[in-house]
Amino acid sequence: MTNHDATLEWPDGRSRTIEVREDETILEAAERNDIGLPFGCRTGACGTCTGRLLEGAADDALAHRRRPRALKDRHLADGYVLLCLASPRADCRIAVGSSVHTELVDNPWK
Ligand code: FES
């Protein structure tokens, strides 16, 4: 079983590097390390768990277990990933926290 390091980075400057097995998701690995990340459905539908890859191409660094329905193709191209479905294929750095999900949605009130 191959393990990879995933460095999780929050908007306030905190970061944690955790080891993630290729057969577990980033969200599962975070929970195993007592790190709380936002999530909802855990099925790829709600987008609450969205993270954003900070370097490298998403396809090279991570693989979704099933189609990430909450993300549009342009989101995937921009490096957004669903942490409830994504397993690492390489070491990676990922922006996490609830503000990442809000980046996906245009706010009509501002
Ligand atoms: S928790 Fe709903 S898409 Fe990941």
Side-chain angles (χ1 to χ4, degrees):
M1 185 59 56
T2 309
N3 297 341
H4 300 288
D5 285 341
T7 300
L8 311 176
E9 299 187 13
W10 285 263
D12 64 4
R14 281 180 302 136
S15 73
R16 281 278 304 272
T17 299
I18 58 174
E19 196 171 68
V20 189
R21 301 189 307 259
E22 278 196 350
D23 70 341
E24 68 182 348
T25 65
I26 305 285
L27 181 61
E28 289 168 341
E31 290 174 334
R32 188 166 50 76
N33 284 276
D34 292 323
I35 297 171
L37 293 178
F39 68 90
C41 67
R42 301 181 85 112
T43 65
C46 72
T48 307
C49 66
T50 301
R52 181 168 39 82
L53 201 65
L54 291 171
E55 58 191 27
D59 285 351
D60 293 339
L62 296 157
H64 286 104
R65 281 186 180 173
R66 66 171 82 128
R67 194 166 67 83
R69 288 175 290 155
L71 298 179
K72 300 183 185 331
D73 287 346
R74 64 184 162 87
H75 297 145
L76 294 168
D78 286 343
Y80 290 98
V81 294
L82 296 182
L83 302 181
C84 71
L85 299 182
S87 298
R89 295 292 172 264
D91 292 351
C92 52
R93 289 174 50 229
I94 305 169
V96 298
S98 59
S99 61
V100 180
H101 183 217
T102 62
E103 293 172 11
L104 300 181
V105 185
D106 289 332
N107 182 346
W109 306 110
K110 66 178 185 182

XYZ file of all heavy atoms in Angstrom:
849
model
N 0.844 -1.200 0.000
C 0.000 0.000 0.000
C 0.886 1.259 0.000
O 1.793 1.374 0.785
C -0.883 -0.001 1.254
C -1.869 1.119 1.305
S -3.007 1.161 -0.079
C -3.705 -0.487 0.016
N 0.594 2.163 -0.912
C 1.383 3.382 -1.021
C 0.748 4.489 -0.198
O -0.478 4.664 -0.214
C 1.462 3.842 -2.490
O 1.887 2.741 -3.272
C 2.430 4.996 -2.646
N 1.569 5.220 0.514
C 1.103 6.380 1.272
C 1.663 7.651 0.658
O 2.741 7.633 0.058
C 1.565 6.299 2.731
C 0.991 5.101 3.448
O 0.003 4.520 3.025
N 1.625 4.716 4.534
N 0.930 8.739 0.820
C 1.409 10.031 0.333
C 1.169 11.072 1.419
O 0.229 10.944 2.217
C 0.666 10.446 -0.939
C 0.830 9.466 -2.062
N 2.006 9.319 -2.761
C -0.031 8.565 -2.590
C 1.859 8.376 -3.676
N 0.637 7.897 -3.587
N 1.973 12.112 1.401
C 1.770 13.225 2.325
C 0.797 14.224 1.698
O 0.968 14.627 0.544
C 3.083 13.948 2.614
C 3.975 13.163 3.556
O 3.454 12.262 4.254
O 5.183 13.434 3.592
N -0.201 14.616 2.470
C -1.110 15.680 2.054
C -0.970 16.818 3.071
O -1.177 16.606 4.267
C -2.551 15.187 1.998
N -0.595 17.978 2.588
C -0.503 19.142 3.464
C -1.780 19.952 3.315
O -2.117 20.405 2.216
C 0.735 19.998 3.114
O 1.909 19.195 3.279
C 0.824 21.215 4.028
N -2.502 20.077 4.426
C -3.770 20.811 4.443
C -3.485 22.229 4.920
O -2.828 22.423 5.944
C -4.764 20.121 5.383
C -4.925 18.603 5.179
C -5.863 18.029 6.240
C -5.432 18.300 3.777
N -3.972 23.220 4.186
C -3.680 24.615 4.515
C -4.979 25.397 4.668
O -5.813 25.408 3.764
C -2.792 25.244 3.428
C -1.456 24.519 3.301
C -0.474 25.195 2.359
O -0.707 26.368 1.982
O 0.524 24.556 2.002
N -5.158 26.036 5.824
C -6.356 26.825 6.109
C -6.108 28.299 5.790
O -4.947 28.748 5.774
C -6.721 26.688 7.588
C -7.342 25.377 7.947
C -8.669 25.100 8.070
C -6.664 24.144 8.246
N -8.858 23.772 8.409
C -7.643 23.164 8.520
C -5.321 23.755 8.279
C -7.335 21.850 8.843
C -5.001 22.432 8.592
C -6.000 21.508 8.871
N -7.187 29.062 5.568
C -7.039 30.484 5.208
C -6.325 31.300 6.283
O -5.703 32.324 5.978
C -8.481 30.975 5.040
C -9.295 29.750 4.816
C -8.586 28.630 5.522
N -6.381 30.863 7.548
C -5.737 31.643 8.611
C -4.244 31.342 8.758
O -3.601 31.838 9.680
C -6.458 31.420 9.946
C -6.362 29.970 10.428
O -5.672 29.148 9.774
O -6.973 29.659 11.462
N -3.701 30.546 7.847
C -2.266 30.286 7.866
C -1.868 28.977 8.524
O -0.710 28.567 8.428
N -2.831 28.308 9.212
C -2.493 27.017 9.810
C -2.257 25.989 8.714
O -2.869 26.064 7.648
C -3.650 26.506 10.674
C -3.775 27.128 12.035
C -4.958 26.521 12.770
N -6.202 26.710 12.019
C -7.110 25.768 11.845
N -6.937 24.559 12.362
N -8.209 26.024 11.164
N -1.413 25.019 8.995
C -1.278 23.892 8.071
C -0.929 22.639 8.860
O -0.371 22.719 9.958
C -0.220 24.190 7.007
O 1.070 24.130 7.559
N -1.315 21.508 8.305
C -0.972 20.199 8.888
C -0.641 19.252 7.750
O -1.351 19.223 6.737
C -2.169 19.593 9.645
C -2.444 20.137 11.019
C -1.586 19.522 12.125
N -1.658 18.068 12.235
C -2.558 17.419 12.953
N -3.498 18.063 13.597
N -2.527 16.084 13.033
N 0.400 18.493 7.909
C 0.729 17.469 6.920
C 0.364 16.116 7.502
O 0.783 15.781 8.616
C 2.224 17.516 6.553
O 2.505 18.800 5.980
C 2.570 16.435 5.551
N -0.434 15.363 6.750
C -0.866 14.043 7.208
C -0.494 13.011 6.146
O -0.368 13.330 4.968
C -2.387 13.974 7.491
C -3.186 14.341 6.237
C -2.749 14.861 8.667
C -4.686 14.150 6.408
N -0.322 11.778 6.618
C -0.048 10.695 5.691
C -1.387 10.079 5.274
O -2.227 9.787 6.133
C 0.838 9.647 6.383
C 1.497 8.693 5.436
C 2.533 7.839 6.155
O 2.135 7.001 6.996
O 3.722 8.012 5.890
N -1.566 9.910 3.976
C -2.836 9.386 3.458
C -2.541 8.143 2.628
O -1.681 8.161 1.745
C -3.552 10.428 2.568
C -4.958 9.945 2.218
C -3.614 11.784 3.255
N -3.248 7.050 2.931
C -3.095 5.830 2.142
C -3.834 5.983 0.814
O -4.843 6.681 0.752
C -3.657 4.623 2.913
C -2.985 4.386 4.255
C -3.441 3.055 4.847
N -4.888 2.949 4.918
C -5.605 3.136 6.039
N -4.999 3.409 7.166
N -6.908 3.026 6.010
N -3.372 5.314 -0.208
C -4.042 5.431 -1.510
C -5.455 4.854 -1.477
O -6.258 5.153 -2.340
C -3.226 4.744 -2.619
C -2.102 5.615 -3.145
C -1.541 5.118 -4.482
O -1.899 4.002 -4.910
O -0.736 5.855 -5.074
N -5.757 4.008 -0.461
C -7.096 3.428 -0.419
C -8.031 4.189 0.516
O -9.132 3.725 0.803
C -7.025 1.948 -0.003
C -6.618 1.775 1.460
O -6.047 2.740 2.040
O -6.857 0.692 2.017
N -7.621 5.334 1.002
C -8.526 6.141 1.820
C -8.613 7.541 1.232
O -7.745 7.978 0.483
C -8.101 6.184 3.297
C -6.825 6.939 3.570
C -6.420 6.915 5.047
O -7.215 6.523 5.917
O -5.266 7.313 5.305
N -9.705 8.222 1.568
C -9.881 9.586 1.068
C -9.146 10.568 1.986
O -8.785 10.238 3.122
C -11.370 9.961 1.029
O -11.861 9.985 2.369
C -12.163 8.965 0.189
N -8.969 11.773 1.464
C -8.338 12.810 2.283
C -9.187 13.056 3.534
O -8.647 13.224 4.636
C -8.201 14.116 1.478
C -7.450 13.898 0.162
C -7.551 15.208 2.324
C -5.978 13.725 0.267
N -10.501 13.060 3.380
C -11.381 13.298 4.534
C -11.214 12.191 5.580
O -11.110 12.470 6.784
C -12.844 13.379 4.068
C -13.887 13.652 5.143
C -13.644 14.988 5.833
C -15.298 13.614 4.551
N -11.161 10.941 5.132
C -10.977 9.826 6.078
C -9.639 9.951 6.811
O -9.562 9.708 8.019
C -11.043 8.491 5.322
C -12.427 8.146 4.828
C -12.443 6.982 3.842
O -11.376 6.658 3.261
O -13.525 6.417 3.636
N -8.592 10.310 6.069
C -7.271 10.433 6.697
C -7.251 11.584 7.701
O -6.641 11.487 8.770
C -6.198 10.639 5.629
N -7.933 12.680 7.363
C -7.998 13.808 8.289
C -8.697 13.375 9.577
O -8.226 13.671 10.689
C -8.729 14.977 7.638
N -9.811 12.654 9.440
C -10.542 12.198 10.629
C -9.685 11.244 11.466
O -9.703 11.298 12.689
C -11.850 11.533 10.198
C -12.843 12.553 9.639
C -14.091 11.925 9.063
O -14.041 10.752 8.636
O -15.118 12.626 9.035
N -8.926 10.399 10.796
C -8.038 9.466 11.514
C -6.996 10.237 12.325
O -6.506 9.774 13.352
C -7.368 8.542 10.482
C -6.567 7.411 11.041
C -6.229 6.367 9.978
N -5.662 6.891 8.747
C -4.417 7.318 8.608
N -3.610 7.310 9.642
N -3.978 7.763 7.451
N -6.670 11.459 11.877
C -5.686 12.302 12.565
C -6.356 13.355 13.457
O -5.709 14.329 13.852
C -4.788 12.988 11.532
C -3.755 12.049 10.937
O -2.692 11.851 11.513
N -4.067 11.440 9.803
N -7.660 13.161 13.738
C -8.416 14.084 14.600
C -8.425 15.512 14.077
O -8.361 16.476 14.848
C -7.869 14.069 16.040
C -8.122 12.746 16.729
O -9.188 12.154 16.491
O -7.243 12.303 17.484
N -8.475 15.656 12.754
C -8.587 16.969 12.128
C -10.009 17.106 11.603
O -10.472 16.262 10.828
C -7.581 17.120 10.962
C -6.142 17.021 11.486
C -7.807 18.426 10.216
C -5.098 16.930 10.392
N -10.685 18.147 12.020
C -12.049 18.375 11.576
C -12.073 19.164 10.275
O -11.523 20.261 10.201
N -12.683 18.606 9.239
C -12.886 19.307 7.972
C -14.382 19.335 7.693
O -15.109 18.425 8.098
C -12.174 18.576 6.823
C -10.641 18.543 6.859
C -10.113 17.732 5.680
C -10.064 19.953 6.848
N -14.861 20.370 6.985
C -16.293 20.421 6.694
C -16.710 19.302 5.740
O -15.971 18.970 4.812
C -16.469 21.798 6.042
C -15.119 22.250 5.630
C -14.121 21.527 6.474
N -17.869 18.720 5.989
C -18.418 17.734 5.064
C -19.927 17.664 5.262
O -20.446 18.138 6.271
C -17.791 16.337 5.251
C -18.147 15.667 6.550
C -19.267 14.862 6.631
C -17.369 15.856 7.671
C -19.609 14.239 7.829
C -17.697 15.243 8.871
C -18.823 14.439 8.947
N -20.604 17.089 4.289
C -22.054 16.917 4.386
C -22.428 15.502 3.988
O -22.462 14.595 4.795
N -22.648 15.295 2.681
C -23.217 14.035 2.188
C -22.234 12.867 2.141
O -22.638 11.719 2.193
C -23.769 14.269 0.786
S -22.479 14.630 -0.444
N -20.978 13.128 1.973
C -19.920 12.115 1.775
C -20.147 11.272 0.531
O -19.610 10.165 0.416
C -19.786 11.198 3.004
C -19.452 11.949 4.271
C -19.305 11.011 5.453
N -17.973 10.482 5.492
C -17.082 10.770 6.439
N -17.396 11.559 7.434
N -15.879 10.247 6.401
N -20.936 11.761 -0.403
C -21.190 11.005 -1.641
C -20.831 11.807 -2.889
O -21.109 11.363 -4.005
C -22.668 10.593 -1.749
O -23.475 11.775 -1.867
C -23.104 9.772 -0.557
N -20.273 12.990 -2.734
C -19.903 13.775 -3.906
C -21.004 14.667 -4.436
O -20.878 15.217 -5.532
N -22.085 14.822 -3.689
C -23.230 15.572 -4.207
C -23.328 17.006 -3.698
O -23.818 17.880 -4.405
C -24.522 14.832 -3.864
N -22.870 17.281 -2.486
C -23.179 18.589 -1.873
C -22.060 19.626 -2.044
O -22.326 20.824 -2.022
C -23.489 18.418 -0.388
S -22.051 18.036 0.638
N -20.840 19.197 -2.170
C -19.724 20.122 -2.346
C -19.194 20.726 -1.055
O -18.232 21.496 -1.085
N -19.772 20.388 0.088
C -19.331 20.975 1.360
C -17.862 20.693 1.658
O -17.179 21.509 2.276
C -20.197 20.420 2.516
O -21.564 20.612 2.190
C -19.869 21.105 3.823
N -17.364 19.569 1.193
C -15.985 19.148 1.508
C -14.957 19.665 0.509
O -13.804 19.226 0.538
C -15.920 17.630 1.537
S -16.209 16.925 -0.101
N -15.344 20.565 -0.375
C -14.449 20.990 -1.464
C -13.127 21.540 -0.948
O -13.088 22.351 -0.025
C -15.144 22.062 -2.322
O -16.339 21.518 -2.859
C -14.244 22.511 -3.474
N -12.048 21.090 -1.550
C -10.717 21.643 -1.327
C -10.160 22.101 -2.666
O -10.754 21.863 -3.717
N -9.011 22.754 -2.636
C -8.395 23.224 -3.894
C -6.919 22.876 -3.887
O -6.189 23.246 -2.965
C -8.591 24.729 -4.063
C -7.982 25.281 -5.363
C -8.438 26.714 -5.641
N -8.513 27.534 -4.452
C -7.461 28.152 -3.884
N -6.266 28.028 -4.396
N -7.630 28.882 -2.797
N -6.516 22.127 -4.891
C -5.109 21.759 -5.015
C -4.272 23.008 -5.227
O -4.602 23.839 -6.084
C -4.953 20.803 -6.192
C -3.720 19.928 -6.197
C -3.756 18.953 -5.015
C -3.628 19.169 -7.503
N -3.190 23.152 -4.467
C -2.402 24.380 -4.523
C -1.227 24.306 -5.489
O -0.633 25.322 -5.804
C -1.904 24.737 -3.119
C -3.017 25.180 -2.179
C -2.502 25.306 -0.757
C -3.614 26.499 -2.645
N -0.882 23.127 -5.925
C 0.165 23.027 -6.953
C -0.012 21.709 -7.687
O -0.543 20.749 -7.147
C 1.570 23.123 -6.345
C 1.857 22.077 -5.297
C 3.150 22.367 -4.538
O 3.537 23.548 -4.443
O 3.750 21.419 -4.037
N 0.409 21.700 -8.934
C 0.298 20.490 -9.733
C -1.094 20.329 -10.326
O -2.016 21.056 -9.982
N -1.230 19.378 -11.217
C -2.516 19.114 -11.859
C -3.322 18.160 -10.994
O -2.797 17.193 -10.457
C -2.293 18.513 -13.241
N -4.621 18.454 -10.856
C -5.479 17.639 -9.993
C -5.483 16.180 -10.443
O -5.451 15.268 -9.612
C -6.894 18.198 -9.980
N -5.493 15.936 -11.744
C -5.555 14.560 -12.244
C -4.315 13.757 -11.872
O -4.388 12.546 -11.686
C -5.694 14.562 -13.767
C -7.093 14.944 -14.190
O -7.964 15.039 -13.307
O -7.301 15.150 -15.391
N -3.172 14.418 -11.771
C -1.937 13.712 -11.439
C -1.846 13.430 -9.942
O -1.318 12.397 -9.522
C -0.718 14.553 -11.840
C -0.611 14.710 -13.348
O -1.203 13.886 -14.063
O 0.054 15.659 -13.788
N -2.324 14.352 -9.131
C -2.106 14.268 -7.692
C -3.201 13.502 -6.950
O -2.949 12.928 -5.905
C -1.991 15.677 -7.110
N -4.420 13.515 -7.506
C -5.555 12.946 -6.785
C -6.468 12.191 -7.740
O -6.555 12.528 -8.921
C -6.384 14.067 -6.136
C -5.680 14.896 -5.063
C -6.358 16.242 -4.928
C -5.715 14.157 -3.745
N -7.158 11.189 -7.232
C -8.162 10.483 -8.026
C -9.460 10.452 -7.242
O -9.460 10.107 -6.054
C -7.681 9.069 -8.333
N -10.562 10.837 -7.882
C -11.873 10.729 -7.239
C -12.380 9.287 -7.363
O -12.269 8.679 -8.413
C -12.876 11.693 -7.896
C -12.656 13.131 -7.527
N -12.085 14.045 -8.368
C -12.928 13.814 -6.380
C -12.019 15.231 -7.771
N -12.520 15.118 -6.561
N -12.959 8.764 -6.288
C -13.465 7.385 -6.293
C -14.639 7.201 -7.233
O -14.898 6.116 -7.722
C -13.947 7.005 -4.892
C -12.851 6.655 -3.971
C -13.422 6.169 -2.673
N -12.314 5.837 -1.781
C -12.476 5.511 -0.519
N -13.684 5.481 0.009
N -11.435 5.233 0.234
N -15.407 8.234 -7.382
C -16.537 8.210 -8.307
C -16.719 9.613 -8.827
O -16.021 10.523 -8.379
C -17.805 7.695 -7.621
C -18.322 8.611 -6.528
C -19.683 8.156 -6.049
N -19.530 7.084 -5.083
C -20.102 7.088 -3.877
N -20.871 8.085 -3.520
N -19.916 6.103 -3.049
N -17.618 9.785 -9.757
C -17.763 11.088 -10.387
C -18.109 12.146 -9.336
O -19.080 11.978 -8.574
C -18.873 11.033 -11.447
C -18.882 12.228 -12.385
C -19.761 11.949 -13.581
N -21.167 11.845 -13.213
C -21.981 12.896 -13.061
N -21.517 14.113 -13.243
N -23.243 12.724 -12.731
N -17.318 13.227 -9.254
C -17.572 14.285 -8.259
C -18.698 15.203 -8.745
O -18.460 16.253 -9.319
C -16.231 15.008 -8.171
C -15.589 14.782 -9.501
C -16.085 13.466 -10.017
N -19.945 14.782 -8.503
C -21.103 15.464 -9.086
C -21.205 16.924 -8.671
O -21.786 17.733 -9.386
C -22.394 14.730 -8.695
C -22.557 13.399 -9.394
C -23.770 12.669 -8.892
N -23.575 12.204 -7.521
C -24.552 11.974 -6.653
N -25.799 12.174 -6.986
N -24.284 11.539 -5.436
N -20.680 17.280 -7.509
C -20.833 18.661 -7.027
C -19.913 19.637 -7.756
O -20.058 20.848 -7.582
C -20.562 18.707 -5.522
N -18.991 19.132 -8.560
C -18.042 20.011 -9.255
C -18.293 19.990 -10.755
O -18.499 18.928 -11.340
C -16.601 19.565 -8.976
C -16.138 19.610 -7.526
C -14.707 19.105 -7.427
C -16.254 21.022 -6.950
N -18.258 21.162 -11.354
C -18.348 21.253 -12.804
C -16.957 21.011 -13.397
O -15.940 21.089 -12.697
C -18.857 22.643 -13.208
C -20.233 22.989 -12.668
C -20.667 24.341 -13.183
C -21.982 24.836 -12.614
N -22.973 23.876 -12.218
N -16.927 20.736 -14.701
C -15.641 20.472 -15.363
C -14.673 21.636 -15.163
O -13.472 21.432 -14.965
C -15.852 20.221 -16.862
C -16.480 18.859 -17.125
O -16.494 18.021 -16.198
O -16.953 18.644 -18.256
N -15.191 22.860 -15.213
C -14.287 24.014 -15.061
C -13.721 24.077 -13.636
O -12.605 24.535 -13.435
C -15.000 25.320 -15.418
C -16.155 25.689 -14.537
C -16.833 26.963 -15.058
N -18.157 27.127 -14.529
C -18.442 27.721 -13.373
N -17.463 28.209 -12.638
N -19.686 27.820 -12.953
N -14.461 23.592 -12.644
C -13.939 23.531 -11.276
C -12.792 22.518 -11.196
O -11.754 22.782 -10.583
C -15.024 23.133 -10.286
C -16.145 24.121 -10.196
N -17.448 23.739 -9.979
C -16.158 25.474 -10.319
C -18.210 24.811 -9.958
N -17.463 25.881 -10.160
N -12.989 21.359 -11.817
C -11.941 20.334 -11.811
C -10.697 20.860 -12.512
O -9.568 20.652 -12.055
C -12.445 19.062 -12.492
C -13.582 18.339 -11.761
C -14.204 17.284 -12.657
C -13.068 17.706 -10.475
N -10.902 21.571 -13.620
C -9.760 22.130 -14.357
C -9.019 23.160 -13.515
O -7.806 23.349 -13.679
C -10.253 22.757 -15.657
N -9.730 23.822 -12.612
C -9.103 24.827 -11.746
C -8.490 24.210 -10.485
O -8.011 24.944 -9.613
C -10.130 25.886 -11.339
C -10.466 26.827 -12.494
O -9.697 26.870 -13.470
O -11.501 27.517 -12.409
N -8.550 22.879 -10.343
C -7.891 22.215 -9.225
C -8.774 21.939 -8.024
O -8.281 21.482 -6.984
N -10.086 22.199 -8.152
C -10.973 21.896 -7.018
C -11.186 20.385 -6.916
O -11.258 19.685 -7.936
C -12.316 22.610 -7.179
C -12.205 24.101 -6.995
C -12.108 24.950 -8.096
C -12.159 24.663 -5.722
C -11.975 26.323 -7.931
C -12.017 26.027 -5.555
C -11.928 26.849 -6.654
O -11.777 28.199 -6.483
N -11.277 19.888 -5.693
C -11.439 18.452 -5.458
C -12.451 18.251 -4.329
O -12.629 19.122 -3.474
C -10.105 17.774 -5.057
C -9.112 17.826 -6.205
C -9.506 18.418 -3.818
N -13.099 17.089 -4.347
C -14.006 16.735 -3.245
C -13.255 15.811 -2.299
O -12.894 14.687 -2.666
C -15.264 16.051 -3.789
C -16.144 16.900 -4.696
C -17.390 16.108 -5.115
C -16.555 18.207 -4.015
N -13.010 16.290 -1.099
C -12.159 15.545 -0.172
C -12.823 14.277 0.342
O -12.133 13.388 0.842
C -11.738 16.454 0.985
C -10.985 17.723 0.537
C -10.576 18.546 1.750
C -9.775 17.377 -0.316
N -14.157 14.153 0.202
C -14.844 12.920 0.620
C -14.665 11.796 -0.394
O -14.942 10.642 -0.083
C -16.323 13.161 0.866
S -17.302 13.471 -0.623
N -14.205 12.138 -1.608
C -14.028 11.129 -2.664
C -12.589 11.007 -3.138
O -12.244 10.055 -3.833
C -14.881 11.483 -3.895
C -16.388 11.572 -3.745
C -17.009 11.877 -5.100
C -16.957 10.279 -3.188
N -11.753 11.995 -2.822
C -10.427 12.079 -3.430
C -9.387 11.311 -2.622
O -9.262 11.496 -1.412
C -9.999 13.541 -3.561
N -8.636 10.474 -3.332
C -7.500 9.772 -2.741
C -6.231 10.233 -3.446
O -6.245 10.508 -4.647
C -7.659 8.258 -2.924
O -8.821 7.811 -2.261
N -5.123 10.307 -2.729
C -3.907 10.865 -3.328
C -3.178 9.868 -4.220
O -3.177 8.667 -3.970
C -3.053 11.207 -2.101
C -3.461 10.200 -1.085
C -4.927 9.933 -1.319
N -2.556 10.391 -5.252
C -1.673 9.608 -6.122
C -0.246 10.141 -6.050
O 0.655 9.636 -6.698
C -2.170 9.667 -7.568
C -3.519 8.998 -7.757
C -3.394 7.482 -7.551
N -4.685 6.817 -7.541
C -5.359 6.514 -6.433
N -4.858 6.801 -5.248
N -6.512 5.894 -6.496
N -0.066 11.234 -5.293
C 1.241 11.865 -5.127
C 1.145 12.749 -3.887
O 0.052 13.001 -3.375
C 1.592 12.695 -6.352
N 2.282 13.229 -3.398
C 2.248 14.218 -2.322
C 1.544 15.464 -2.852
O 1.674 15.804 -4.044
C 3.658 14.584 -1.880
C 4.370 13.419 -1.185
O 3.711 12.392 -0.902
O 5.586 13.536 -0.944
N 0.795 16.147 -1.992
C 0.037 17.292 -2.484
C -0.203 18.312 -1.374
O -0.090 18.001 -0.187
C -1.297 16.834 -3.066
S -2.264 15.787 -1.975
N -0.492 19.535 -1.794
C -0.893 20.620 -0.885
C -2.298 21.041 -1.277
O -2.578 21.266 -2.461
C 0.043 21.829 -1.019
C 1.430 21.617 -0.457
C 2.336 22.807 -0.756
N 1.727 24.077 -0.397
C 1.683 25.139 -1.213
N 2.211 25.097 -2.407
N 1.108 26.259 -0.807
N -3.185 21.158 -0.266
C -4.589 21.410 -0.556
C -5.112 22.514 0.361
O -4.947 22.444 1.578
C -5.429 20.132 -0.324
C -4.875 18.967 -1.140
C -6.890 20.371 -0.669
C -5.492 17.631 -0.765
N -5.742 23.522 -0.235
C -6.440 24.534 0.559
C -7.732 23.920 1.069
O -8.479 23.296 0.295
C -6.741 25.760 -0.301
N -7.999 24.064 2.374
C -9.191 23.465 2.979
C -9.937 24.516 3.800
O -9.443 25.618 4.027
C -8.829 22.256 3.884
C -8.171 21.148 3.086
C -7.922 22.697 5.034
N -11.136 24.143 4.250
C -11.957 25.041 5.049
C -13.203 25.450 4.269
O -13.269 25.306 3.047
N -14.189 25.948 4.980
C -15.486 26.227 4.351
C -15.402 27.308 3.286
O -16.215 27.354 2.361
C -16.508 26.618 5.421
O -16.050 27.760 6.113
N -14.402 28.192 3.355
C -14.329 29.270 2.376
C -13.996 28.752 0.983
O -14.292 29.415 -0.010
C -13.290 30.307 2.809
O -12.012 29.719 2.901
N -13.388 27.561 0.880
C -13.063 27.028 -0.450
C -14.348 26.733 -1.215
O -14.467 27.034 -2.399
C -12.185 25.759 -0.342
C -11.855 25.225 -1.725
C -10.907 26.061 0.426
N -15.340 26.167 -0.527
C -16.612 25.871 -1.191
C -17.280 27.146 -1.686
O -17.854 27.177 -2.777
C -17.531 25.120 -0.225
C -18.830 24.719 -0.841
N -20.009 24.741 -0.143
C -19.145 24.305 -2.089
C -20.996 24.344 -0.936
N -20.495 24.077 -2.113
N -17.193 28.200 -0.914
C -17.860 29.445 -1.325
C -17.189 30.049 -2.562
O -17.831 30.831 -3.274
C -17.881 30.482 -0.186
O -16.539 30.815 0.159
C -18.596 29.944 1.033
N -15.941 29.698 -2.844
C -15.281 30.198 -4.059
C -15.971 29.686 -5.318
O -15.846 30.283 -6.387
C -13.812 29.740 -4.106
C -12.911 30.332 -3.048
C -11.533 29.682 -3.054
O -11.208 28.927 -3.996
O -10.793 29.922 -2.093
N -16.678 28.574 -5.206
C -17.291 27.961 -6.389
C -18.526 28.693 -6.848
O -18.948 28.565 -7.996
C -17.704 26.505 -6.085
C -16.623 25.538 -5.668
C -17.245 24.172 -5.442
C -15.541 25.475 -6.712
N -19.146 29.426 -5.954
C -20.465 29.992 -6.233
C -20.361 31.501 -6.361
O -19.849 32.169 -5.472
C -21.444 29.647 -5.082
C -22.850 30.115 -5.426
C -21.411 28.158 -4.806
N -20.846 32.021 -7.483
C -20.919 33.475 -7.618
C -21.977 34.004 -6.657
O -23.087 33.493 -6.618
C -21.312 33.856 -9.045
C -20.182 33.582 -10.018
O -19.015 33.631 -9.595
O -20.473 33.314 -11.198
N -21.596 35.000 -5.872
C -22.541 35.578 -4.924
C -23.264 36.759 -5.582
O -22.655 37.785 -5.860
C -21.784 36.035 -3.672
C -22.706 36.596 -2.620
O -23.869 36.890 -2.890
N -22.191 36.750 -1.413
N -24.559 36.625 -5.827
C -25.274 37.698 -6.524
C -25.479 38.934 -5.665
O -25.894 39.973 -6.157
C -26.618 37.054 -6.890
C -26.818 36.001 -5.847
C -25.442 35.509 -5.496
N -25.194 38.839 -4.344
C -25.468 39.954 -3.434
C -24.269 40.863 -3.252
O -24.370 41.892 -2.606
C -25.906 39.420 -2.062
C -27.056 38.483 -2.174
C -27.026 37.149 -1.960
C -28.402 38.795 -2.572
N -28.251 36.608 -2.191
C -29.120 37.593 -2.553
C -29.050 39.976 -2.933
C -30.458 37.540 -2.904
C -30.384 39.913 -3.271
C -31.085 38.714 -3.255
N -23.117 40.511 -3.808
C -21.960 41.385 -3.592
C -21.556 42.097 -4.865
O -22.051 41.815 -5.934
C -20.789 40.613 -2.980
C -20.178 39.551 -3.840
C -19.011 38.918 -3.134
C -18.331 37.925 -4.074
N -17.236 37.206 -3.531
S -19.322 15.813 1.666
Fe -20.792 16.267 0.116
S -19.562 16.288 -1.689
Fe -18.157 15.683 -0.150
